[in-house]
Structures are given as C-alpha cells and as structure tokens.
Amino acid sequence: MADVFDHAPQVWNAAQLRDALKDLPDDTPIHIGVAEDPGDFGGYRESVLVDAYRVQNWWPATSTTPERTETEKAITLFADWKADTYNVLD
C-alpha cells in the first residue's frame, strides 16, 4: 500500500491578499507559483494571473424547482502559462 499524508494548506483570505499587495504599484504583474505536488514548491511552475471571477454555483431546473444560481463570497483566480515560446502539443 502506498504511503499517504493529509494535505491541509492554509488557504488565504481576501485580507491576507490585500495586505500582501498593499505596497505594490497598480500596474505590477501578478505571478503565481503552482506546486507540482501537494505542498512542494521546490519544483513549482510559474504562471501569471489572467482573470478573476466571483464563484457562482448553478443548479438546473427540475420538475419542482426553477434553475438558480448563487454567488458565493469567494473568487477564483485564473492563471495561465507566462509569455514565452512553447512547443505545439499534439
């Protein structure tokens, strides 16, 4: 049987992010390091922040309830690979 471990990262909230950004100029690019494995930032891939959306949950209509959406008090940050030349993947 493979060794396992519980991975429970400390998820930042909006106040922590605001504090980290407070002294940066408005035009500062935001880079994101994505761990290659849970908790392993030694081999992270650098990405750039390209968008952010409020988290929305959607439920389809059923025979008894109409379709509905609900906006959470959370955002999803979208990252893409940084600008460079890459090989075309098949």
Side-chain angles (χ1 to χ4, degrees), residues 31-36 41 44-48 79:
H31 292 241
I32 299 170
V34 179
E36 290 294 325
F41 290 98
Y44 74 89
R45 177 179 50 205
E46 185 177 357
S47 301
V48 293

Side-chain angles (χ1 to χ4, degrees), residues 8-87:
Q10 175 60 48
V11 178
W12 274 30
N13 59 38
Q16 290 169 296
L17 183 57
R18 269 191 224 94
D19 187 51
L21 299 174
K22 70 182 176 192
D23 296 324
L24 296 176
D26 288 345
D27 61 348
T28 301
I30 305 297
H31 292 241
I32 299 170
V34 179
E36 290 294 325
D37 290 307
D40 179 12
F41 290 98
Y44 74 89
R45 177 179 50 205
E46 185 177 357
S47 301
V48 293
L49 181 62
V50 295
D51 212 340
Y53 288 101
R54 292 290 302 269
V55 174
Q56 284 196 329
N57 295 313
W58 173 80
W59 292 270
T62 67
S63 60
T64 57
T65 60
E67 174 183 305
R68 69 184 178 100
T69 59
E70 179 181 285
T71 302
E72 291 186 28
K73 292 182 180 180
I75 62 170
T76 298
L77 301 176
F78 290 90
D80 197 354
W81 290 35
K82 64 182 183 172
D84 202 349
T85 302
Y86 298 99
N87 293 329

